[in-house]
Amino acid sequence: MTQPRIFHFLETERLPVAPDHPAWLAPLPSRRPEAGCGPEDGVTPTVGDYFRALEAFCTGEGAAVLSRLHRRGAAGEVPVEEIRVFLAKHGAAYHPARLETRGGGVVQEWVANVAFSAEGRRLIRRETAILTRLHAETRLPYLPEVYGAFSVAPRSGPRFDLWLGQWFSGFCEVHLHRQGPGERPRLWLWDPGGGGSGLAPAAEEAVYREASRILTLYLNLERFEEIALWHHAAGDFVVRPGPEGVAVRLIAVRDYRPLFAGRAGAEIPQGGLAALLTRLLLFFLALSLHTRLDRLDGTGDFALAPEEAVFATREGVLAALAEKAAGLPLAEAFAAFLSSCAEEDFLELCGGIVARRYREGSPERLLLAHGLPAHAAALCACARAA
């Protein structure tokens, strides 16, 4: 089999990156070394090491996988003639690459989430297992399909681990953005090629509604396991506006675990409709808080989305419950249960969630605690909405 041509790119540049490029010897950013996200041997890999490792993957163990995926997407025996490797972004534990396979006039995109740290390697193993499990259990289309986890050791340079998966083409990150001093932050669609654009208010609400619907669809109502450790600031939710509305996908699942592990779960009665509704209430309240948290422009100060996001979160949760319990009035029962809560109940419960879920003294906790009275008032208003 003829080896495809390999080209390396930075996501923000149009020309290929070669060893004579100024970025080639630049170190890969290593964020949160205190959490195990730094290099294992104390030597930080370079951008060149990263590209060499991905080239070794694309021409080695990954060659057959990429060839099979390209043929499947092209619906025919189409060979891969060229692979373009784009260094897409830098995360806390991953350095995602966008891979373009080209051949037979067909261009397709895939993601390689690459790690060189101990924490990144651990996360690759865990996330691969979680995504595979959730695809098998739910058959839902909102998470990337995973095609395998790999370890790559090029002839020169350090070893990298990666998982290869589905790239959601045409989707972009969204982050809160403040256009002027004193203005309320609004959602901004970020173009990976540079720049961005604001979303219309209806599209903003659709993003929050869809994100909460997706998280509720993946909530296991028997074991009450949920997708955990997701963050708007990390770009975990991506968006593609279109003439038929806003499409939303979730590109990362760092953990999937019981919502009420430990003492908090022991306080809730076991079994019956009352217990189910109580659990759903706490899930919804935690979601209503966390979905408002973001960093300005993705990397700036923490900020809260406007209170309209609370209304959209309720709509998304109810829509998902109606889908999950087809033929049963679970959504209606939860809406009625929600409307029976007083503003004081919301304030007390949200205060407890903030105290348990966010580290003392952290900017997220301080911001949420400061906004709790207004948040409880918004919850009360949306709970009584038709």
Side-chain angles (χ1 to χ4, degrees):
M1 183 174 65
T2 304
Q3 291 283 14
R5 300 184 302 275
I6 311 292
F7 298 94
H8 312 116
F9 294 83
L10 302 178
E11 191 68 84
T12 55
E13 296 186 10
R14 293 184 178 273
L15 296 177
V17 176
D20 60 351
H21 190 284
W24 191 265
L25 296 178
L28 283 174
S30 177
R31 295 166 56 187
R32 296 176 60 226
E34 76 285 353
C37 295
E40 291 182 287
D41 56 4
V43 178
T44 301
T46 66
V47 170
D49 292 330
Y50 175 90
F51 281 133
R52 275 193 293 265
L54 281 166
E55 181 166 352
F57 169 73
C58 291
T59 57
E61 191 175 6
V65 181
L66 289 168
S67 178
R68 173 176 56 81
L69 291 171
H70 189 78
R71 290 198 307 271
R72 186 180 75 179
E77 291 297 318
V78 177
V80 177
E81 301 163 356
E82 178 182 310
I83 299 176
R84 297 188 178 188
V85 180
F86 294 82
L87 175 50
K89 61 181 290 188
H90 302 291
Y94 288 162
H95 298 268
R98 178 171 63 88
L99 307 182
E100 281 188 3
T101 54
R102 294 170 170 248
V106 177
V107 179
Q108 298 186 84
E109 296 178 301
W110 321 98
V111 63
N113 277 313
V114 182
F116 63 83
S117 68
E119 175 61 15
R121 298 182 201 281
R122 184 198 68 80
L123 185 57
I124 280 174
R125 294 190 296 271
R126 181 165 182 77
E127 189 164 21
T128 302
I130 292 171
L131 287 169
T132 302
R133 172 193 165 187
L134 290 178
H135 270 289
E137 290 183 355
T138 68
R139 304 293 179 183
L140 293 170
Y142 305 108
L143 301 176
E145 187 177 353
V146 177
Y147 309 119
F150 306 86
S151 185
V152 185
R155 293 179 181 176
S156 62
R159 176 174 68 93
F160 288 82
D161 286 0
L162 65 91
W163 65 259
L164 181 69
Q166 177 185 10
W167 179 276
F168 292 121
S169 299
F171 285 76
C172 299
E173 291 186 21
V174 287
H175 292 292
L176 289 175
H177 173 73
R178 184 176 281 123
Q179 289 188 277
E183 290 192 14
R184 289 202 309 171
R186 311 294 304 197
L187 274 186
W188 197 262
L189 186 70
W190 289 98
D191 183 347
S197 59
L199 291 174
E204 281 190 273
E205 292 175 20
V207 170
Y208 291 116
R209 182 171 60 249
E210 280 299 291
S212 62
R213 186 179 75 88
I214 289 168
L215 290 166
T216 308
L217 285 173
Y218 286 102
L219 174 68
N220 186 301
L221 293 180
E222 295 179 357
R223 299 184 295 270
F224 251 84
E225 292 173 298
E226 64 165 347
I227 291 175
L229 303 182
W230 60 272
H231 301 281
H232 285 308
D236 290 341
F237 281 100
V238 292
V239 173
R240 185 181 65 195
E244 297 181 359
V246 174
V248 178
R249 297 291 185 268
L250 178 59
I251 63 172
V253 182
R254 298 177 187 87
D255 204 359
Y256 189 72
R257 64 190 184 197
L259 176 63
F260 305 108
R263 290 189 309 168
E267 301 166 2
I268 303 171
Q270 301 295 311
L273 180 61
L276 174 59
L277 294 176
T278 302
R279 284 171 162 78
L280 283 173
L281 174 64
L282 294 178
F283 167 78
F284 164 69
L285 293 180
L287 181 57
S288 75
L289 288 160
H290 198 62
T291 200
R292 293 184 66 189
L293 270 178
D294 196 358
R295 287 184 180 272
L296 291 173
D297 303 329
T299 57
D301 293 337
F302 279 99
L304 287 182
E307 289 152 15
E308 289 85 352
V310 178
F311 289 76
T313 300
R314 172 186 176 272
E315 292 176 7
V317 169
L318 292 177
L321 291 179
E323 292 179 55
K324 290 171 72 70
L328 297 175
L330 180 57
E332 292 83 352
F334 180 63
F337 184 70
L338 199 60
S339 67
S340 70
C341 297
E343 187 172 328
E344 293 77 16
D345 299 326
F346 290 132
L347 185 60
E348 180 181 355
L349 289 169
C350 286
I353 289 169
V354 170
R356 283 196 299 268
R357 287 206 166 193
Y358 300 92
R359 180 173 49 84
E360 187 174 0
S362 66
E364 305 101 299
R365 179 165 172 172
L366 294 173
L367 184 63
L368 287 170
H370 178 74
L372 277 178
H375 188 80
L379 284 167
C380 191
C382 82
R384 285 153 180 71

